[in-house]
């Protein structure tokens, strides 16, 4: 009598279905996180529509995918629903775009206000220097990143020295008042010409001179320590040619840069 063959059960393949669903959900989650980080609501809505279409063909998975994608929108609650006891309701795509548009308008307005404030501060600094007859050796300019105040080496230090001269203190005292009023990030940058210094490298010289100015602004003039930092450029960023004495004089300088919050 022939023995009946036992039916082979493939228990080792049972994990494939839940594993594929889990991987699908993880893929959806990471794509949604990426899309949300890009702050582009039109692309997000387009992605959401396409994503829902792709996964709607999977049986039993549309509601899960839909909930995952809706995470990016459900944070927006219309004002009229804020007090509703029924819980938060997901905002529509139009509401998301409206709020994003308002945020963009506020950012543009803040940038314009800051530009006006910085322009006014630049004029105030120039006028104050002129009134004190100190504008001859100082250049004040407004650039895309902020206010640049360039002080020539001749008024800052004695030849070959990194100690501040007595005459420069009145410049720094006057400028520091406007810096404190603006309350923004300040960088003090040291520059040299291309003539080697006999006592140290031009990198060391530009760094030491920037530190000397920063120490005075923070320690004596009262600029906040956490707002002030230094940079050293040696002769890598000349303002004029190093082929003439006049050009080298312009290149030996310390710049005080008051940075904008918005660029």
């Amino acid at each position: 009598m022939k023995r009946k063959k036992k039916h082979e059960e493939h228990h080792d393949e049972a994990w494939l279905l839940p594993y594929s669903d889990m991987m699908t959900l993880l893929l959806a989650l990471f794509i949604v996180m990426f899309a949300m980080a890009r702050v582009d609501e039109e692309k997000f809505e387009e992605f959401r529509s396409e994503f829902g279409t792709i996964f709607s063909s999977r049986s039993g998975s549309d509601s899960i995918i839909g909930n995952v994608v809706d995470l990016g929108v459900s944070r927006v609650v219309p004002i009229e629903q804020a007090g509703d006891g029924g819980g938060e309701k997901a905002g529509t795509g139009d509401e998301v775009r409206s709020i994003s548009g308002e945020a963009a308008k506020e950012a543009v307005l803040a940038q314009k206000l800051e530009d006006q404030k910085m322009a006014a501060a630049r004029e105030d600094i120039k006028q104050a220097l002129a009134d004190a007859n100190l504008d001859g050796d100082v250049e004040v300019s407004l650039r895309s990143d902020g206010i640049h105040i360039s002080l020539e080496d001749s008024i800052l230090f004695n030849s070959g020295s990194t100690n501040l001269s007595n005459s420069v203190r009145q410049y720094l005292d006057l400028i520091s008042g406007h810096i404190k009023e603006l309350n923004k990030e300040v960088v003090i940058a040291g520059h040299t010409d291309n003539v080697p210094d006999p006592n140290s490298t031009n990198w060391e010289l530009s760094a030491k001179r920037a530190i000397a100015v920063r120490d005075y602004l923070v320690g004596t003039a009262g600029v906040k320590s956490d707002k002030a930092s230094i940079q050293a450029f040696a002769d890598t960023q000349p303002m004029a040619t190093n082929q003439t004495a006049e050009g080298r004089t312009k290149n030996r300088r310390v710049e005080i840069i008051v940075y904008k919050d918005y660029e």
Side-chain angles (χ1 to χ4, degrees):
M1 185 175 181
K2 293 182 179 180
R3 294 182 179 179
K4 292 183 179 179
K5 291 184 179 180
K6 293 183 179 180
H7 178 67
E8 294 183 3
E9 296 182 358
H10 298 282
H11 295 288
D12 57 334
E13 297 179 359
W15 57 274
L16 284 175
L17 184 59
Y19 178 79
S20 64
D21 286 340
M22 181 183 70
M23 294 305 293
T24 299
L25 290 175
L26 283 174
L27 174 63
L29 176 61
F30 284 117
I31 293 176
V32 169
M33 289 173 65
F34 174 78
M36 290 168 63
R38 299 292 294 179
V39 196
D40 190 330
E41 298 300 336
E42 279 191 26
K43 288 185 178 179
F44 179 81
E45 287 298 316
E46 182 181 344
F47 154 78
R48 182 178 172 221
S49 175
E50 292 295 330
F51 198 81
T53 302
I54 292 171
F55 285 96
S56 61
S57 58
R58 295 182 60 88
S59 57
S61 65
D62 355 49
S63 59
I64 298 175
I65 297 300
N67 288 337
V68 171
V69 177
D70 277 341
L71 285 174
V73 181
S74 60
R75 297 184 182 185
V76 182
V77 182
I79 296 175
E80 62 270 19
Q81 295 178 5
D84 191 350
E88 292 186 357
K89 297 181 181 180
T92 65
D94 289 339
E95 289 163 349
V96 172
R97 283 189 290 272
S98 175
I99 292 176
S100 297
E102 289 299 320
K105 289 178 182 178
E106 289 179 6
V108 170
L109 178 59
Q111 184 173 358
K112 286 183 178 179
L113 290 174
E114 183 184 45
D115 288 343
Q116 293 173 0
K117 185 176 181 180
M118 296 291 273
R122 180 241 187 189
E123 292 303 317
D124 289 345
I125 295 171
K126 288 187 69 175
Q127 187 61 51
L129 288 167
D131 292 344
N133 294 320
L134 300 175
D135 54 334
D137 299 307
V138 183
E139 182 180 334
V140 185
S141 60
L142 180 61
R143 304 181 190 175
S144 60
D145 58 349
I147 299 173
H148 288 240
I149 306 167
S150 180
L151 297 96
E152 289 187 8
D153 154 274
S154 58
I155 64 170
L156 288 168
F157 308 97
N158 296 321
S159 179
S161 173
T162 58
N163 297 320
L164 291 176
S165 65
N166 292 327
S167 61
V168 77
R169 300 176 189 277
Q170 56 184 332
Y171 290 86
L172 296 180
D173 287 340
L174 188 153
I175 292 168
S176 64
H178 296 278
I179 292 175
K180 289 186 288 186
E181 186 178 344
L182 288 169
N183 193 31
K184 295 184 181 295
E185 180 188 353
V186 179
V187 171
I188 297 93
H191 301 265
T192 68
D193 57 24
N194 66 345
V195 178
D197 185 80
N199 301 316
S200 62
T201 68
N202 282 338
W203 287 103
E204 292 172 326
L205 183 61
S206 61
K208 288 177 181 178
R209 288 183 168 180
I211 290 170
V213 173
R214 181 196 179 275
D215 287 348
Y216 185 87
L217 290 175
V218 173
T220 304
V223 174
K224 291 182 180 178
S225 178
D226 60 344
K227 295 284 188 181
S229 59
I230 70 111
Q231 292 178 341
F233 293 99
D235 60 342
T236 61
Q237 294 187 5
M239 287 182 67
T241 178
N242 278 308
Q243 302 302 314
T244 64
E246 184 181 355
R248 290 192 294 272
T249 298
K250 287 184 176 293
N251 292 334
R252 295 191 301 269
R253 68 196 188 279
V254 171
E255 285 188 350
I256 301 173
I257 307 162
V258 185
Y259 281 104
K260 294 179 180 178
D261 295 329
Y262 302 91
E263 287 188 31

Short mmCIF file of all heavy atoms in Angstrom, two decimals, residues 154-210:
data_model
loop_
_atom_site.label_atom_id
_atom_site.label_comp_id
_atom_site.label_asym_id
_atom_site.label_seq_id
_atom_site.Cartn_x
_atom_site.Cartn_y
_atom_site.Cartn_z
N SER A 154 46.47 103.03 10.72
CA SER A 154 47.23 104.17 11.24
C SER A 154 46.59 104.80 12.47
O SER A 154 47.30 105.38 13.31
CB SER A 154 47.38 105.24 10.15
OG SER A 154 46.10 105.66 9.69
N ILE A 155 45.27 104.72 12.60
CA ILE A 155 44.62 105.29 13.78
C ILE A 155 44.43 104.26 14.88
O ILE A 155 44.10 104.61 16.02
CB ILE A 155 43.24 105.90 13.42
CG1 ILE A 155 42.28 104.80 12.92
CG2 ILE A 155 43.38 107.01 12.41
CD1 ILE A 155 40.86 105.26 12.77
N LEU A 156 44.61 102.98 14.55
CA LEU A 156 44.37 101.91 15.53
C LEU A 156 45.61 101.59 16.35
O LEU A 156 45.54 101.42 17.57
CB LEU A 156 43.90 100.64 14.82
CG LEU A 156 42.48 100.65 14.25
CD1 LEU A 156 42.26 99.46 13.33
CD2 LEU A 156 41.47 100.61 15.38
N PHE A 157 46.75 101.46 15.68
CA PHE A 157 47.95 100.96 16.34
C PHE A 157 49.17 101.79 15.93
O PHE A 157 49.21 102.38 14.85
CB PHE A 157 48.21 99.49 15.94
CG PHE A 157 47.02 98.59 16.12
CD1 PHE A 157 46.19 98.30 15.05
CD2 PHE A 157 46.73 98.04 17.36
CE1 PHE A 157 45.09 97.47 15.21
CE2 PHE A 157 45.64 97.22 17.53
CZ PHE A 157 44.81 96.94 16.46
N ASN A 158 50.15 101.80 16.82
CA ASN A 158 51.45 102.33 16.44
C ASN A 158 52.14 101.31 15.53
O ASN A 158 51.78 100.13 15.52
CB ASN A 158 52.30 102.59 17.69
CG ASN A 158 51.68 103.67 18.58
OD1 ASN A 158 51.15 104.66 18.06
ND2 ASN A 158 51.72 103.45 19.88
N SER A 159 53.11 101.76 14.77
CA SER A 159 53.76 100.90 13.78
C SER A 159 54.30 99.61 14.42
O SER A 159 55.06 99.66 15.40
CB SER A 159 54.89 101.66 13.10
OG SER A 159 55.54 100.84 12.15
N GLY A 160 53.88 98.46 13.85
CA GLY A 160 54.37 97.16 14.31
C GLY A 160 53.80 96.72 15.64
O GLY A 160 54.20 95.67 16.16
N SER A 161 52.88 97.47 16.23
CA SER A 161 52.34 97.13 17.54
C SER A 161 50.94 96.53 17.42
O SER A 161 50.23 96.75 16.45
CB SER A 161 52.28 98.39 18.42
OG SER A 161 51.63 98.12 19.64
N THR A 162 50.58 95.75 18.44
CA THR A 162 49.21 95.22 18.51
C THR A 162 48.43 95.86 19.66
O THR A 162 47.33 95.43 19.97
CB THR A 162 49.24 93.68 18.70
OG1 THR A 162 49.97 93.37 19.89
CG2 THR A 162 49.89 93.00 17.51
N ASN A 163 49.02 96.88 20.28
CA ASN A 163 48.33 97.61 21.36
C ASN A 163 47.61 98.81 20.76
O ASN A 163 48.17 99.55 19.94
CB ASN A 163 49.34 98.09 22.41
CG ASN A 163 50.03 96.92 23.10
OD1 ASN A 163 49.40 95.91 23.40
ND2 ASN A 163 51.33 97.06 23.34
N LEU A 164 46.37 99.01 21.19
CA LEU A 164 45.58 100.12 20.66
C LEU A 164 46.22 101.46 21.02
O LEU A 164 46.71 101.65 22.14
CB LEU A 164 44.17 100.06 21.23
CG LEU A 164 43.27 98.91 20.76
CD1 LEU A 164 41.93 98.96 21.49
CD2 LEU A 164 43.04 98.99 19.26
N SER A 165 46.19 102.38 20.07
CA SER A 165 46.68 103.73 20.34
C SER A 165 45.63 104.49 21.17
O SER A 165 44.45 104.13 21.19
CB SER A 165 46.92 104.47 19.03
OG SER A 165 45.70 104.64 18.33
N ASN A 166 46.07 105.52 21.85
CA ASN A 166 45.15 106.31 22.67
C ASN A 166 44.09 107.01 21.82
O ASN A 166 42.94 107.16 22.24
CB ASN A 166 45.93 107.34 23.48
CG ASN A 166 46.80 106.69 24.55
OD1 ASN A 166 46.44 105.65 25.10
ND2 ASN A 166 47.95 107.29 24.83
N SER A 167 44.46 107.41 20.62
CA SER A 167 43.53 108.18 19.79
C SER A 167 42.36 107.34 19.28
O SER A 167 41.28 107.88 19.00
CB SER A 167 44.29 108.79 18.60
OG SER A 167 44.84 107.76 17.79
N VAL A 168 42.54 106.04 19.15
CA VAL A 168 41.50 105.22 18.55
C VAL A 168 40.34 104.98 19.52
O VAL A 168 39.23 104.63 19.09
CB VAL A 168 42.06 103.87 18.06
CG1 VAL A 168 42.27 102.91 19.23
CG2 VAL A 168 41.11 103.22 17.05
N ARG A 169 40.55 105.19 20.78
CA ARG A 169 39.51 104.88 21.76
C ARG A 169 38.26 105.74 21.54
O ARG A 169 37.15 105.28 21.75
CB ARG A 169 40.06 105.05 23.18
CG ARG A 169 41.24 104.14 23.45
CD ARG A 169 41.88 104.37 24.82
NE ARG A 169 43.13 103.63 24.94
CZ ARG A 169 43.22 102.34 25.28
NH1 ARG A 169 42.12 101.67 25.54
NH2 ARG A 169 44.39 101.76 25.36
N GLN A 170 38.44 106.97 21.12
CA GLN A 170 37.28 107.83 20.87
C GLN A 170 36.46 107.31 19.68
O GLN A 170 35.24 107.41 19.66
CB GLN A 170 37.72 109.27 20.63
CG GLN A 170 38.73 109.44 19.52
CD GLN A 170 39.21 110.88 19.40
OE1 GLN A 170 38.48 111.82 19.75
NE2 GLN A 170 40.43 111.07 18.91
N TYR A 171 37.16 106.73 18.68
CA TYR A 171 36.44 106.13 17.55
C TYR A 171 35.60 104.94 18.04
O TYR A 171 34.41 104.82 17.71
CB TYR A 171 37.43 105.62 16.50
CG TYR A 171 38.17 106.69 15.74
CD1 TYR A 171 39.34 107.24 16.23
CD2 TYR A 171 37.72 107.13 14.50
CE1 TYR A 171 40.04 108.21 15.53
CE2 TYR A 171 38.41 108.10 13.78
CZ TYR A 171 39.57 108.63 14.30
OH TYR A 171 40.26 109.58 13.59
N LEU A 172 36.24 104.06 18.80
CA LEU A 172 35.56 102.84 19.25
C LEU A 172 34.44 103.16 20.24
O LEU A 172 33.40 102.49 20.23
CB LEU A 172 36.58 101.88 19.87
CG LEU A 172 37.67 101.37 18.93
CD1 LEU A 172 38.61 100.41 19.66
CD2 LEU A 172 37.05 100.66 17.72
N ASP A 173 34.66 104.16 21.09
CA ASP A 173 33.60 104.54 22.03
C ASP A 173 32.36 105.03 21.28
O ASP A 173 31.22 104.70 21.64
CB ASP A 173 34.10 105.64 22.98
CG ASP A 173 35.09 105.11 24.00
OD1 ASP A 173 35.09 103.87 24.24
OD2 ASP A 173 35.87 105.91 24.54
N LEU A 174 32.59 105.83 20.24
CA LEU A 174 31.47 106.37 19.47
C LEU A 174 30.74 105.25 18.71
O LEU A 174 29.51 105.16 18.73
CB LEU A 174 32.00 107.42 18.50
CG LEU A 174 30.97 108.26 17.72
CD1 LEU A 174 31.57 109.61 17.37
CD2 LEU A 174 30.53 107.55 16.45
N ILE A 175 31.51 104.38 18.07
CA ILE A 175 30.92 103.30 17.26
C ILE A 175 30.19 102.28 18.14
O ILE A 175 29.13 101.77 17.78
CB ILE A 175 32.01 102.62 16.42
CG1 ILE A 175 32.55 103.57 15.36
CG2 ILE A 175 31.48 101.34 15.77
CD1 ILE A 175 33.82 103.08 14.68
N SER A 176 30.75 102.00 19.31
CA SER A 176 30.18 100.96 20.17
C SER A 176 28.76 101.28 20.63
O SER A 176 27.94 100.38 20.83
CB SER A 176 31.08 100.75 21.40
OG SER A 176 31.11 101.91 22.21
N GLY A 177 28.45 102.58 20.78
CA GLY A 177 27.09 102.94 21.18
C GLY A 177 26.06 102.48 20.17
O GLY A 177 25.00 101.96 20.53
N HIS A 178 26.36 102.63 18.90
CA HIS A 178 25.44 102.20 17.84
C HIS A 178 25.40 100.67 17.74
O HIS A 178 24.34 100.09 17.47
CB HIS A 178 25.88 102.80 16.51
CG HIS A 178 25.80 104.29 16.47
ND1 HIS A 178 24.63 104.97 16.23
CD2 HIS A 178 26.76 105.24 16.68
CE1 HIS A 178 24.85 106.28 16.26
NE2 HIS A 178 26.14 106.46 16.53
N ILE A 179 26.54 100.02 17.98
CA ILE A 179 26.57 98.55 17.95
C ILE A 179 25.68 97.99 19.05
O ILE A 179 24.91 97.05 18.83
CB ILE A 179 28.03 98.05 18.11
CG1 ILE A 179 28.85 98.41 16.87
CG2 ILE A 179 28.05 96.54 18.34
CD1 ILE A 179 30.32 98.06 16.99
N LYS A 180 25.77 98.55 20.24
CA LYS A 180 24.95 98.06 21.36
C LYS A 180 23.46 98.29 21.09
O LYS A 180 22.62 97.47 21.45
CB LYS A 180 25.38 98.76 22.66
CG LYS A 180 26.73 98.30 23.16
CD LYS A 180 27.06 98.90 24.51
CE LYS A 180 27.38 100.37 24.43
NZ LYS A 180 27.83 100.92 25.72
N GLU A 181 23.14 99.41 20.47
CA GLU A 181 21.74 99.72 20.17
C GLU A 181 21.16 98.73 19.15
O GLU A 181 20.01 98.30 19.28
CB GLU A 181 21.63 101.14 19.63
CG GLU A 181 20.19 101.61 19.42
CD GLU A 181 20.13 103.05 18.95
OE1 GLU A 181 21.14 103.77 19.07
OE2 GLU A 181 19.05 103.45 18.45
N LEU A 182 21.96 98.33 18.16
CA LEU A 182 21.49 97.38 17.15
C LEU A 182 21.35 95.98 17.73
O LEU A 182 20.48 95.20 17.32
CB LEU A 182 22.45 97.36 15.97
CG LEU A 182 22.42 98.59 15.06
CD1 LEU A 182 23.60 98.58 14.09
CD2 LEU A 182 21.10 98.65 14.28
N ASN A 183 22.24 95.61 18.67
CA ASN A 183 22.17 94.31 19.36
C ASN A 183 22.17 93.14 18.37
O ASN A 183 21.31 92.26 18.42
CB ASN A 183 20.92 94.24 20.25
CG ASN A 183 20.97 93.05 21.21
OD1 ASN A 183 22.05 92.64 21.63
ND2 ASN A 183 19.81 92.49 21.52
N LYS A 184 23.14 93.16 17.48
CA LYS A 184 23.26 92.09 16.50
C LYS A 184 24.65 91.45 16.56
O LYS A 184 25.53 91.93 17.28
CB LYS A 184 23.00 92.63 15.09
CG LYS A 184 21.56 93.12 14.89
CD LYS A 184 21.33 93.55 13.46
CE LYS A 184 19.90 94.06 13.28
NZ LYS A 184 18.90 92.99 13.50
N GLU A 185 24.83 90.38 15.81
CA GLU A 185 26.13 89.71 15.78
C GLU A 185 27.18 90.65 15.17
O GLU A 185 26.94 91.26 14.13
CB GLU A 185 26.05 88.43 14.95
CG GLU A 185 27.36 87.67 14.86
CD GLU A 185 27.32 86.51 13.89
OE1 GLU A 185 26.23 86.22 13.38
OE2 GLU A 185 28.38 85.91 13.65
N VAL A 186 28.33 90.71 15.83
CA VAL A 186 29.42 91.59 15.38
C VAL A 186 30.68 90.75 15.19
O VAL A 186 31.04 89.94 16.04
CB VAL A 186 29.69 92.71 16.41
CG1 VAL A 186 30.84 93.60 15.95
CG2 VAL A 186 28.45 93.52 16.65
N VAL A 187 31.33 90.96 14.05
CA VAL A 187 32.61 90.30 13.78
C VAL A 187 33.68 91.37 13.57
O VAL A 187 33.47 92.32 12.81
CB VAL A 187 32.53 89.39 12.54
CG1 VAL A 187 33.92 88.89 12.14
CG2 VAL A 187 31.61 88.20 12.81
N ILE A 188 34.80 91.21 14.28
CA ILE A 188 35.93 92.13 14.12
C ILE A 188 36.98 91.38 13.30
O ILE A 188 37.49 90.34 13.73
CB ILE A 188 36.51 92.57 15.47
CG1 ILE A 188 35.44 93.36 16.27
CG2 ILE A 188 37.74 93.45 15.26
CD1 ILE A 188 34.63 92.53 17.21
N ALA A 189 37.28 91.89 12.10
CA ALA A 189 38.16 91.20 11.17
C ALA A 189 39.46 91.98 10.98
O ALA A 189 39.43 93.17 10.65
CB ALA A 189 37.47 91.02 9.82
N GLY A 190 40.59 91.30 11.17
CA GLY A 190 41.89 91.93 11.00
C GLY A 190 42.47 91.66 9.62
O GLY A 190 42.37 90.54 9.10
N HIS A 191 43.08 92.70 9.03
CA HIS A 191 43.69 92.60 7.69
C HIS A 191 45.07 93.24 7.70
O HIS A 191 45.31 94.20 8.45
CB HIS A 191 42.82 93.29 6.64
CG HIS A 191 41.43 92.77 6.54
ND1 HIS A 191 41.05 91.80 5.62
CD2 HIS A 191 40.30 93.07 7.24
CE1 HIS A 191 39.77 91.54 5.75
NE2 HIS A 191 39.28 92.29 6.72
N THR A 192 45.96 92.75 6.85
CA THR A 192 47.29 93.35 6.70
C THR A 192 47.59 93.56 5.21
O THR A 192 46.83 93.12 4.35
CB THR A 192 48.39 92.43 7.29
OG1 THR A 192 48.49 91.25 6.48
CG2 THR A 192 48.07 92.04 8.72
N ASP A 193 48.73 94.21 4.95
CA ASP A 193 49.21 94.26 3.56
C ASP A 193 50.07 93.02 3.32
O ASP A 193 50.11 92.10 4.16
CB ASP A 193 49.98 95.56 3.30
CG ASP A 193 51.16 95.73 4.26
OD1 ASP A 193 51.65 94.72 4.80
OD2 ASP A 193 51.58 96.89 4.48
N ASN A 194 50.77 92.96 2.22
CA ASN A 194 51.56 91.77 1.90
C ASN A 194 53.02 91.88 2.31
O ASN A 194 53.85 91.04 1.93
CB ASN A 194 51.47 91.46 0.40
CG ASN A 194 52.13 92.54 -0.46
OD1 ASN A 194 52.40 93.64 0.01
ND2 ASN A 194 52.35 92.22 -1.73
N VAL A 195 53.36 92.92 3.07
CA VAL A 195 54.74 93.07 3.55
C VAL A 195 54.94 92.21 4.80
O VAL A 195 54.18 92.35 5.77
CB VAL A 195 55.05 94.55 3.88
CG1 VAL A 195 56.47 94.69 4.42
CG2 VAL A 195 54.84 95.42 2.65
N PRO A 196 55.90 91.30 4.80
CA PRO A 196 56.11 90.43 5.97
C PRO A 196 56.45 91.24 7.21
O PRO A 196 57.20 92.22 7.16
CB PRO A 196 57.29 89.54 5.56
CG PRO A 196 57.33 89.62 4.06
CD PRO A 196 56.85 90.98 3.71
N ASP A 197 55.87 90.82 8.34
CA ASP A 197 56.17 91.49 9.61
C ASP A 197 57.42 90.83 10.20
O ASP A 197 57.51 89.61 10.25
CB ASP A 197 54.98 91.33 10.56
CG ASP A 197 55.19 92.11 11.85
OD1 ASP A 197 54.97 93.32 11.85
OD2 ASP A 197 55.59 91.47 12.85
N PRO A 198 58.38 91.62 10.68
CA PRO A 198 59.63 91.04 11.20
C PRO A 198 59.46 90.26 12.50
O PRO A 198 60.28 89.41 12.82
CB PRO A 198 60.54 92.26 11.40
CG PRO A 198 59.59 93.41 11.56
CD PRO A 198 58.41 93.09 10.71
N ASN A 199 58.40 90.54 13.25
CA ASN A 199 58.22 89.93 14.56
C ASN A 199 57.25 88.75 14.57
O ASN A 199 57.28 87.93 15.49
CB ASN A 199 57.74 90.98 15.58
CG ASN A 199 58.74 92.12 15.70
OD1 ASN A 199 59.94 91.90 15.78
ND2 ASN A 199 58.23 93.34 15.70
N SER A 200 56.38 88.68 13.58
CA SER A 200 55.40 87.59 13.53
C SER A 200 54.87 87.49 12.11
O SER A 200 55.18 88.32 11.25
CB SER A 200 54.24 87.84 14.50
OG SER A 200 53.54 89.03 14.15
N THR A 201 54.05 86.48 11.85
CA THR A 201 53.44 86.35 10.53
C THR A 201 52.29 87.34 10.40
O THR A 201 51.76 87.84 11.41
CB THR A 201 52.90 84.92 10.31
OG1 THR A 201 51.78 84.71 11.18
CG2 THR A 201 53.96 83.88 10.57
N ASN A 202 51.91 87.63 9.18
CA ASN A 202 50.77 88.53 8.96
C ASN A 202 49.48 87.93 9.50
O ASN A 202 48.55 88.67 9.87
CB ASN A 202 50.63 88.85 7.48
CG ASN A 202 51.64 89.89 7.02
OD1 ASN A 202 52.16 90.66 7.84
ND2 ASN A 202 51.95 89.91 5.73
N TRP A 203 49.40 86.60 9.53
CA TRP A 203 48.21 85.95 10.12
C TRP A 203 48.14 86.25 11.61
O TRP A 203 47.07 86.61 12.14
CB TRP A 203 48.25 84.44 9.89
CG TRP A 203 47.97 84.05 8.48
CD1 TRP A 203 48.87 83.66 7.52
CD2 TRP A 203 46.69 84.04 7.84
NE1 TRP A 203 48.23 83.39 6.34
CE2 TRP A 203 46.89 83.62 6.50
CE3 TRP A 203 45.40 84.34 8.26
CZ2 TRP A 203 45.85 83.50 5.59
CZ3 TRP A 203 44.36 84.22 7.35
CH2 TRP A 203 44.59 83.81 6.04
N GLU A 204 49.25 86.11 12.29
CA GLU A 204 49.27 86.39 13.73
C GLU A 204 48.99 87.86 14.00
O GLU A 204 48.25 88.21 14.93
CB GLU A 204 50.63 85.99 14.31
CG GLU A 204 50.89 84.50 14.32
CD GLU A 204 52.32 84.16 14.74
OE1 GLU A 204 53.23 84.93 14.42
OE2 GLU A 204 52.49 83.12 15.39
N LEU A 205 49.59 88.73 13.19
CA LEU A 205 49.40 90.17 13.37
C LEU A 205 47.94 90.57 13.18
O LEU A 205 47.38 91.32 14.01
CB LEU A 205 50.28 90.93 12.38
CG LEU A 205 50.26 92.46 12.49
CD1 LEU A 205 50.77 92.91 13.85
CD2 LEU A 205 51.09 93.09 11.37
N SER A 206 47.29 90.06 12.12
CA SER A 206 45.89 90.42 11.88
C SER A 206 44.99 89.86 12.98
O SER A 206 44.02 90.51 13.39
CB SER A 206 45.44 89.91 10.51
OG SER A 206 45.55 88.50 10.42
N ALA A 207 45.31 88.67 13.49
CA ALA A 207 44.50 88.08 14.57
C ALA A 207 44.66 88.87 15.86
O ALA A 207 43.67 89.18 16.55
CB ALA A 207 44.90 86.62 14.78
N LYS A 208 45.90 89.21 16.22
CA LYS A 208 46.15 89.95 17.46
C LYS A 208 45.49 91.32 17.44
O LYS A 208 44.95 91.78 18.46
CB LYS A 208 47.65 90.09 17.69
CG LYS A 208 48.33 88.79 18.08
CD LYS A 208 49.84 88.97 18.22
CE LYS A 208 50.53 87.67 18.59
NZ LYS A 208 52.01 87.82 18.68
N ARG A 209 45.51 91.98 16.30
CA ARG A 209 44.89 93.32 16.21
C ARG A 209 43.37 93.23 16.28
O ARG A 209 42.73 94.10 16.89
CB ARG A 209 45.36 94.01 14.93
CG ARG A 209 46.83 94.43 15.02
CD ARG A 209 47.31 95.18 13.80
NE ARG A 209 48.62 95.81 14.08
CZ ARG A 209 49.29 96.53 13.20
NH1 ARG A 209 48.80 96.75 12.00
NH2 ARG A 209 50.45 97.06 13.54
N ALA A 210 42.80 92.18 15.67
CA ALA A 210 41.35 91.99 15.77
C ALA A 210 40.95 91.70 17.22
O ALA A 210 39.94 92.21 17.72
CB ALA A 210 40.91 90.85 14.86
#
